[in-house]
Each structure stands twice: as structure tokens, then as C-alpha cells.
Amino acid sequence: MNKLQISEAIKGHRCSELTAEQVQSRLCVEIARAVALAGQSIEVNDLKFAAFELSQEIQRSFRELTLAEIAIAIDSGVKGKFGDYYGINVVSIIKWLNAYQESDIRKLCFTSYRKMLELKALPQQTSKSEAEIYQSNRLYAIEKFDGFLRDGYFDDWGNCTYSFLAEQQILNLTLEDKHRIYELARRRVTANLRESVVKDSTVRHILKQIEMGDGSDIYRVKMQAQKIALRDFFEMLRSQNRHLSEIIKDKIV
């Protein structure tokens, strides 16, 4: 059975939402097709009887399947994907429907479909305005500075505070400062990696790249350099008895 085919089939109307006539009409088509595939024949009255009996069973045990899923189940069954069978009859088709409904691939597709419906049902989030983004970043930066004053330590996840202050041209580094801080960061990253180098071949590879200065792991050093620059900036403000909130004011838009 094809996952994409099942995923599409699941999106249709459940048999519980359809009339008995709609279900029986589709069953007549699918049973006739299955009989033809198997190289057999069936009388019209027998076809109608089988469709009626199956529609009753579907309303009892398979009412959450769609007509497209029932078609997949019957097609898979007649092609032997659910094992051997002896003739195409109501009992055989019920076994195929049950095998399809309990199959792992159907359960997986149905779970994905249900999650998609749940996500669609959630209220759509509106994008933040420029002023709201600025205010959020401002408060986050002040929170990190307050933490530094209180604990002597801050955790700038993703270097968000550094990026914000640099973007606002509050944290400006000279070319000389950048070179000095980058070299300090390279030494710190190298030292930290060297402590873990004994058993980890991946760490040894990264360490070699940094020591060679080939730029292959420049991101790791760059992130460390930004942390050092931000800490130096916080240290300067503290030594001057200034607070970050005095520098980054509320933005008026």
C-alpha cells in the first residue's frame, strides 16, 4: 500500500457521514472491479446482496473509513497483500477491511492527518510589529544585564543580546578590539576542546581545523567571541555605574 495514496484517501468523508445508498453504490463498483481482477464473475443480484451486507458491517465496524480507503483495502486484498483468500465474498472483504484498518501504515497516516487538523484548528498567530520586536529584545537584553549584575553571569542564548545591541549600534567594536577578542575566543574554544579530545574523534577533527585556522569551524569561534564582547561591555557599564536601560530606551513608533 502506498503511503501517499492512503494519506489522500483519509481526507475524504467518513462512511458514517454518508447515506447507505452512497456506500452501497461505491461497494458495487469496487466488488465488481475486484471480481474482474481475480478473473471471476458475479451475478447482479449477488453483487447487490454483497454490497448490502458489507454496508451494514461497515456501519458497525468500519464507519470511520472513507470510501477511498475501502477501495484501497479491497484492491490490496484481491492482490494478495493481506494474505491468501478463497474467493471474493463478504467474509473475505471484511477480513481485508480489518487488516487495512489495523495496518501500521494506516494508523501512521491517520495520526498525521489528525495532527494536521488540530494545527489548523489553532488560532492563527499574528506577526509582531517592528516596535513589539524591539521592545521584546530590549527587555530580554535588560534581563540579561540584571542577571549579570546579580550573579556575575548571564546566558545569552543564541547571542541574541549581542546581535540586538550591535544592530542598534550600542555595542560598537573597533577593528583592533575585534582582532583581540577573536584571538581570545579561538584560544578558549581550542582549550575547551582539548579537554575532550582524548576519546572523541569528531572533537579531534574540529580542534585540528581551528588550530590550522582554515575557517572550517569559524562559527564556533565567532559565537564565543560575541559572548566575550558582550561580557566586556557589561563589565564596562558596571564599572561606570551605568545601567543598560539608560542606553536602550523605549522605542517610539
Side-chain angles (χ1 to χ4, degrees), residues 1 12 14 27 35 46 51 57 62 74 83 98 114 126 129 162 167 175 180 190 200 206-209 216 224 226 236:
M1 293 184 291
R14 313 282 148 210
L27 283 172
V35 169
D46 292 337
E57 186 61 31
F62 308 105
I74 294 175
N98 188 65
R114 188 168 55 190
T126 56
S129 66
Y162 173 89
E167 181 182 337
L175 186 60
R180 175 183 60 80
T190 302
D200 194 326
I206 294 173
L207 179 60
K208 183 178 180 181
Q209 290 177 334
S216 301
Q224 181 64 36
Q226 290 177 354
M236 181 194 72

Side-chain angles (χ1 to χ4, degrees), residues 187-203:
R187 290 200 300 270
R188 285 188 183 179
V189 171
T190 302
N192 291 336
L193 289 173
R194 192 171 283 117
E195 294 178 2
S196 309
V197 78
V198 180
K199 296 182 180 179
D200 194 326
S201 59
T202 302
V203 173

Side-chain angles (χ1 to χ4, degrees), residues 4-55:
L4 179 60
Q5 185 184 25
I6 294 174
S7 296
E8 287 299 316
I10 283 175
K11 297 176 183 179
H13 291 292
R14 313 282 148 210
C15 287
S16 59
E17 302 170 339
L18 304 174
T19 65
E21 289 75 16
Q22 287 175 311
V23 175
Q24 289 174 32
S25 177
R26 181 62 177 269
L27 283 172
C28 284
V29 173
E30 298 305 331
I31 294 170
R33 181 176 179 276
V35 169
L37 284 173
Q40 301 175 14
S41 61
I42 187 172
E43 296 291 334
V44 174
N45 288 338
D46 292 337
L47 177 62
K48 290 182 178 179
F49 174 77
F52 174 78
E53 289 295 321
L54 279 172
S55 69

